[in-house]
Amino acid sequence: MVCPGHPVPRQSMSRLDLEELAEIELQRDEEEATALGAVRRTPVAPMAGPDPALSMNHPFYDVARHGILQVAGEDRLGRRVVTFSCCRMPPSHELNHRRLLEYLQYTLDQYVESDYTIVYFHYGLNSQNKPSLGWFQSAYKEFDRRHRKNLKALYVVHPTNFIRVLWNILRPLISHKFGKKVTYFNYLSELREHLRDDQLIVPPEVLRHDEELRNLHTGRLPPPTKTPPPRPPLPTQQFGVSLKYLKDKNQGELIPPVLRFTVTYLREKGLRTEGLFRKSASVQTIREIQRLYNQGKPVNFDDYGDIHIPAVILKTFLRELPQPLLTFEAYEQILGITSVESSLRVTCCRQILQRLPEHNYAVLRYLMGFLHEKFWDLGAEKRTGFALRCPGRAFLTK
């Protein structure tokens, strides 16, 4: 039950220095997890399936469905236990961290009139799903005296050096009295001395990680891991789901909403923009827009003032399709077109397209119609460059 790592040097460090150090330590955590054999699955946060008792009418269904927070019975002193599991947090663009904080408050408000305990499972926090350091500060500031007073214990399980750095960033805000409530556990066996084992809800990912740490300590090789089933998507999900799923959720509409909205906007305002599919955009902005689309909320690209943002959203949508637009099945046939006699290539291409699923063909036709407009709206000297930069690679590969 020790805090990880070595003490931070006593000489003062700026906030920027600490934030950079936190990012470095988090990257090291991921490298160490990979070395243990626990490769991070950052595209999705694995989940054992939706809680059958969770209603879609829940005020925080969009957050609660991930299973990040669980109420796990009582500890050995009869205090209610709430667990927070980082391994259940999806990538940042799929989770509104402000909503997560509100959901945490909503959950704790049901128990703060009595003594309670929080168990924080740190394993699974990574560069893809980590909230900003400002979020951690807000989380502490926004919990009033009632929350802090009746919180009798905060158990941090599997701490890393990232926790040490985070603690130093938050130290000016945290009272000495609150700091005494924090206990670090390197192994689950230490935690179980304080909690009722039959009531404690521990994610399978955390159990595996704990076993891997113990095997490393004793010099044994860890057992092979199994990939848990994926988390169910939101009904309004746009990114990372199949075209068939989008068709079924949009009343049979073959063109996904995010594709129609971005193409319409680019058709109206981006046809004459040079380098439209070449320039990048802020990762934070793209994640925010993805989150809005995934939650079924409107997006106004005029608010962002950058014509390249909808172009990046279009490319991101294609890149995150579970199956390429031209499908894995057609991949070898498409590569083989160059070996077909030139007079037969058009016929060969037509045959490949005719065998595509209906939704794939409709999306491909819609997208190619837009790219055709964009191509011929450019001057002749710019067409070759555009042909090399358009999002055609997403048709074939992931």
Side-chain angles (χ1 to χ4, degrees), residues 261-366:
F261 294 153
T262 51
V263 166
T264 298
Y265 188 88
L266 292 171
R267 182 177 279 125
E268 294 175 354
K269 302 187 178 183
L271 287 181
R272 294 187 174 274
T273 301
E274 185 176 355
L276 182 62
F277 293 108
R278 180 182 62 196
K279 296 184 179 179
S280 59
S282 164
V283 173
Q284 183 177 355
T285 300
I286 297 304
R287 287 179 177 175
E288 171 67 14
I289 294 174
Q290 285 185 279
R291 182 183 61 77
L292 291 174
Y293 272 125
N294 283 339
Q295 293 179 351
K297 296 180 180 179
V299 173
N300 185 353
F301 288 116
D302 287 336
D303 293 341
Y304 299 94
D306 184 355
I307 192 61
H308 296 95
I309 287 177
V312 173
I313 288 292
L314 173 58
K315 293 192 294 183
T316 302
F317 171 78
L318 294 171
R319 188 180 299 118
E320 294 189 3
L321 285 173
Q323 177 169 256
L325 194 52
L326 289 178
T327 74
F328 291 117
E329 289 77 12
Y331 183 76
E332 294 296 335
Q333 301 172 47
I334 294 169
L335 293 182
I337 288 176
T338 55
S339 62
V340 175
E341 185 180 339
S342 58
S343 62
L344 300 176
R345 288 179 184 175
V346 172
T347 301
C348 184
C349 289
R350 186 177 290 114
Q351 291 173 347
I352 293 173
L353 295 177
Q354 289 173 346
R355 286 193 290 267
L356 289 177
E358 178 189 22
H359 28 271
N360 291 62
Y361 179 80
V363 169
L364 179 63
R365 182 172 181 175
Y366 182 79

Side-chain angles (χ1 to χ4, degrees), residues 174-216:
I174 298 175
S175 67
H176 175 71
K177 186 175 181 180
F178 183 87
K180 292 172 66 177
K181 300 179 181 181
V182 181
T183 305
Y184 299 93
F185 297 115
N186 291 323
Y187 302 105
L188 289 173
S189 58
E190 299 169 349
L191 174 67
R192 290 182 175 121
E193 295 175 5
H194 297 259
L195 302 177
R196 297 179 180 177
D197 194 37
D198 58 331
Q199 296 185 7
L200 184 61
I201 301 175
V202 183
E205 301 91 336
V206 174
L207 291 171
R208 286 195 298 271
H209 180 65
D210 188 76
E211 184 177 2
E212 288 162 354
L213 288 175
R214 287 191 167 280
N215 289 336
L216 180 66

